[in-house]
Structures are given as C-alpha cells and as structure tokens.
C-alpha cells in the first residue's frame, strides 16, 4: 500500500519513537478492511517498538485502528483509512503515543493534563479536507496526554450511514460525549480554551499586562505576516494579534501563482510564514478576536475576552471572508447542506444533487471538482454572463452533469428541519420563481471585508466596507495603517497582500520616527 519513498520517510519518523506502542486493528472482509490491515502491517514492520494486535470481534467501528502505549487501553482511534491529508495525523499519533514530545508550549500541555471530566471526542472528516487534520491532531494530542479523554477520527465518506443519521453535512464536525462540540477548523489552543472555562479570564489578564507596542498588527494572513517581519526588522516592539494565523490561505488548496514557488498548498505556505515570523522578535497572540479600537497618540485595542492591548501605531490586516447569500434558510442550514468549502465537504455529497452559487473562477472550479463526486451540479449565476476564465467555462460545459443557469437570483434555502432539501431562485429575465431539488448548496460569491468591528470608529470605509488607504498604507486616522484584502487595494491576491503588508509596516515606521513618544508610552518604558 505504501510505496518505497513513503516507507523510507516513515521509517525515518518512526525512529523517533521512544517507548513501545501497540496498533490494534478491527477490520472486516471489505476491501477497505483489507486495505487498513495491510497499512497497519506495513507500519508495524518498520519498527521493533510497534506491536500489531488484531481484534476483528471488537465492538467498534470497522474498519478502524487504535493506537496507544503498550499495555494501555488505546485512546486514539482512526475509523477509516488515515491516508491523504490524515496521513500526518497518523504519524503524529504514532510518535506522540510513543513518547515523542509534542510541539506546543509547555503551559498549554500542562493545561491539557489538568482538564477534568470524562470526554469522548468523535470527529467526522473527509480525506480531501485540509482543515480536518488540525482538529484531528489536536484532539489526538489531548487524548494522548489526558487519560480521561479519547478521540476517534471518522471518515464520513466511508461511514456514510452514521454521518447521515447524525446529520453531518460539513467537515470537520466534532461531537463531545455525543453532542455537537464544533464545526470547521479549530486550533489546539481554541479547543483547550473552550474546554477550560477559566482560561479566558486568565488570558485576558495576562494580555492586558503587556507593555505598549510600537506597532500592533491585527490579523494573521499574508499581509499581517509581511507587516510583522518588516516591522520587527526595524528593531521596534512588534505585536501580532489574530483569531488564527494564516487567514484565508489556510483554506486554499492549490497555489500556483506565488512567484518563485511553482506550486504549493495553503497550509504549507502558512507554516512557512509562521516559521519566518517567529524567527524575529514578534509577540504572536492567536485565538484572540478584536472588538474595538480607540485612542489617538496611544491606541487601545480591546479584545472580545476583555483584554486591552496598547500601541503607538496599528496595522489592520483582518482580511476578508466568504460572502453569504443572506437569504432565508441559509443560517438555519449552515453545516446541514449549506457549505462554503467544496474541497472539504464535497465527499459528503457523493452521488447526490448539489448547487454552486456563483459563476466566477471559484464557483466554476467548485462545480468541476464536485462533478467528479456528485450526481449533478447546478450552477446559479446572478449575471447574464459567467465571470470565470474561459478555460474553466469550456471544461464545465464539457461535463454532462453540470447545468449552468444565468440570471438567477437565489431567494431561499429549503429544508426539512434537519438538512437542505432544495433552493428557490428567481429567473431575472421572466420574474418567475423556480425551485431546484437538491441536498447541498456551495456558496462561492466572493469576499466581504472583516470590518464590522470598525463601523463606529473614525476610520474611513468604502461603500463596500473596505478600509480606505493611501500609497503608504495610511488610513484616515494618523498612526493607523491597513493592508491586504480588508483594504481598497484591488486584486485580492496573496502576493499583493504581502506587498501591502510591507508597505504598511514601512509607513508605520516612518510615522513613528516622526512622532514624539506619548507620555503613557514613556511611563511604560
């Protein structure tokens, strides 16, 4: 099952196992069962510290494999075959259960060990989902460190009946003790803080005690990373606060237009960005959401948890997010048929009828990808022409299970209370209302800037809600700069965001050297 190159790489990783571990396999006679048994056997062959136990009669999902320290009941299980994006999750589970230390801050590891209460996590994933491994790996680590916790990854495209019975229509979907815990990408700190009720208050106090920064960057995407590096290289006190590091790029599958890099994937680029940022003296604060910005000579950024950060200058790089349809039923059925990531959630709709809203590059690419999985794709485009590149349009038109409807205004998402059953649209030419029967709707209609929290500030916004900036990234408020997709800069591209981030950082530095040090900052220094 594993080719020679992968075996060689895996063998190198498995040399890092310190303590003996056991792989317990529970399979059936299905092709997938035999495939999982073969995978487990090949892994066990590579290390004398790995023992293979077969328990076909075990009362667990089949096929599945569990991993744990030798002589202990395993607390980490993979229901399905952990290949594709989840192969890394499998490797980490082997290493961490074998005593190899996790790459996380000691304070966070201690916090995990102190979590109290029996916790059973079940995470539904698809092997094509690039967001899922982060969640699986986080929960596996928690289970490895805390004996009261267990974690199982479930391939929703393999265990389809269970996924449908539990109304899983988006991945990753996490259940804790049988109840929905969360959906979508979640980081290890996010999960731990959600489980630890006292963590938020403690973090707020620690953040509020920090000395003022020279420049504080709000956001975690390419623009923010570039701004942080350029600012730190100037030798000024630099902080970066974000909900998650990486922004939209984390959700980007293929990147083929990043100059000097022929091809890469979003998560890989983000990992390189974070490593580069951390090579400099940047105070990186993630899992924090900005709530309010005020002040003049010394700005104050209030976070949702109540923390207050201060800085002489601020760079806003909060990016943008997928635009929603804003029609009845969309929010009610979000994660129950309404989705925004075809790569992640597409496999859950295998053999079914779905729609894609939007005829731009993202929409037509989504339709083409989905057409290889689902029974039929209906593309609804508001305009009378598609905006996608002609090469994509030709490909879509050549596929027999793609129907394209132009001048269609989506007006409602229909459902049975549990999941999507169809959508209603208005034919803009005739004014007639029509209904399409389907079970999935993938929304791909562009981006909206993350500026809602700035509506009551003095920062000038465009009619579309973007931050208006000048040639140096400056906003209408002296000392506040902005960069990336949140601004009026045209052409929302990674490389353009990086350039605007560096521009904003240099603009902020120029502002600082020409501005007297505020009295508050002098006292703090």
């Amino acid at each position: 099952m594993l080719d020679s190159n992968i075996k060689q790489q895996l063998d190198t990783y498995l040399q890092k196992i310190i303590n003996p571990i056991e792989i317990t396999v529970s399979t059936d006679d299905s092709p997938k069962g035999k495939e999982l048994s073969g995978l487990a056997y090949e892994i066990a062959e590579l290390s004398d510290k790995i023992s293979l136990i077969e328990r076909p009669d075990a009362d667990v999902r089949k096929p599945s494999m569990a991993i744990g320290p030798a002589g202990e009941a395993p607390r980490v299980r993979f229901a399905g075959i952990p290949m594709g994006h989840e192969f890394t999750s499998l490797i980490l589970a082997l290493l961490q259960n074998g005593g190899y230390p996790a790459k996380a801050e000691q304070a966070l590891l201690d916090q995990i060990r102190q979590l109290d209460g029996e916790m059973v996590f079940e995470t539904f994933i698809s092997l094509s989902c690039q967001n899922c491994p982060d969640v699986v790996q986080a929960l596996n680590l928690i289970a490895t460190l805390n004996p009261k916790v267990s974690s199982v990854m479930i391939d929703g495209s393999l265990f389809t009946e269970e996924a449908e019975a539990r109304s899983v229509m988006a991945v990753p979907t996490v259940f804790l003790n049988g109840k929905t815990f969360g959906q979508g990408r979640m980081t290890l700190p996010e999960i731990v803080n959600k489980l630890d009720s006292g963590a938020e208050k403690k973090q707020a106090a620690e953040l509020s005690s920090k000395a003022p920064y020279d420049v504080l960057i709000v956001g975690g995407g390419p623009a923010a990373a570039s701004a942080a590096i350029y600012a730190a290289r100037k030798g000024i006190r630099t902080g970066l606060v974000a909900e998650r590091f990486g922004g939209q790029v984390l959700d980007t599958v293929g990147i083929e237009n990043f100059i000097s890099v022929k091809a890469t994937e979003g998560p890989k680029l983000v990992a390189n960005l974070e490593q580069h940022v951390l090579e400099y003296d940047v105070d990186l604060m993630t899992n924090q959401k900005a709530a309010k910005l005020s002040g003049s000579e010394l700005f104050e950024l209030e976070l949702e948890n109540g923390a207050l950060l201060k800085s002489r200058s601020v760079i806003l790089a909060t990016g943008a997010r997928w635009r929603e349809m804003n029609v009845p039923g969309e929010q009610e059925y979000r994660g129950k048929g309404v989705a925004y990531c075809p790569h992640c959630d597409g496999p859950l709709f295998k053999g079914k009828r779905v729609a894609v809203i939007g005829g731009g590059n993202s929409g037509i690419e989504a339709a083409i990808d989905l057409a290889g999985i689902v029974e039929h794709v209906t593309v609804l485009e508001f305009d009378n022409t598609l905006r996608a590149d002609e090469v994509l349009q030709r490909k879509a038109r050549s596929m027999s299970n793609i129907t394209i409807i132009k001048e269609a205004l989506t007006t409602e998402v229909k459902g049975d209370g549990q999941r999507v059953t169809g959508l209603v649209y208005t034919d803009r030419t005739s004014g007639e209302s029509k209904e399409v029967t389907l079970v999935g709707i993938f929304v791909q209609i562009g981006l909206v800037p993350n500026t809602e929290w700035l509506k009551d500030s003095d920062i000038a916004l465009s009619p579309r809600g973007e931050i208006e900036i000048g040639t140096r990234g400056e906003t209408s408020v002296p000392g506040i700069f902005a960069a990336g997709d949140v601004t009026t800069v045209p052409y929302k591209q990674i490389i353009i965001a990086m350039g605007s981030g560096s521009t904003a950082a240099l603009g902020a530095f120029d502002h600082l050297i020409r501005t007297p040090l505020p009295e508050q900052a002098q006292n703090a220094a």
Side-chain angles (χ1 to χ4, degrees), residues 75-118:
R75 300 191 297 273
V76 172
R77 180 176 293 275
F78 295 90
I81 301 172
M83 296 299 289
H85 289 300
E86 293 299 343
F87 191 56
T88 301
S89 303
L90 172 61
I91 295 173
L92 287 175
L94 293 167
L95 294 180
Q96 290 166 359
N97 276 274
Y100 188 76
K103 292 183 178 180
E105 293 183 4
Q106 188 59 48
L108 182 59
L109 298 178
D110 292 340
Q111 189 180 1
I112 292 171
R113 293 186 177 97
Q114 292 167 8
L115 292 173
D116 195 21
E118 298 292 332

Side-chain angles (χ1 to χ4, degrees), residues 354-358 362-364 366-367 370 377-381 441-442 444:
V354 303
V356 171
I357 311 301
S362 296
I364 300 304
L370 289 165
V377 183
T378 300
V379 177
L380 300 177
E381 165 57 40
I441 301 170
F442 292 85
Q444 303 281 290

Side-chain angles (χ1 to χ4, degrees), residues 206-238:
E206 291 176 351
L207 290 171
S208 296
S209 67
K210 292 178 179 288
Y213 297 94
D214 290 314
V215 59
L216 179 62
I217 300 149
V218 187
S226 176
I229 291 169
Y230 267 74
R233 284 175 60 87
K234 290 296 184 180
I236 57 179
R237 178 166 162 74
T238 304

Side-chain angles (χ1 to χ4, degrees), residues 11 14-15 17 19-21 43-51:
D11 181 56
L14 296 183
Q15 299 302 318
I17 293 177
N19 305 316
I21 60 175
I43 292 172
E45 266 194 328
L46 295 174
S47 174
D48 58 6
K49 285 189 169 65
I50 300 178
S51 300

Side-chain angles (χ1 to χ4, degrees), residues 3 38-39 47 58 96 100 108 132 176 232 273 275 312 329 368 379 427 463 467 492 503 507:
D3 63 35
L39 174 62
S47 174
Q96 290 166 359
Y100 188 76
L108 182 59
C132 295
L176 170 57
L273 281 174
Q275 183 179 7
R312 293 178 59 200
I368 293 169
V379 177
D427 184 324
I467 300 174
K492 312 303 186 186
T503 297

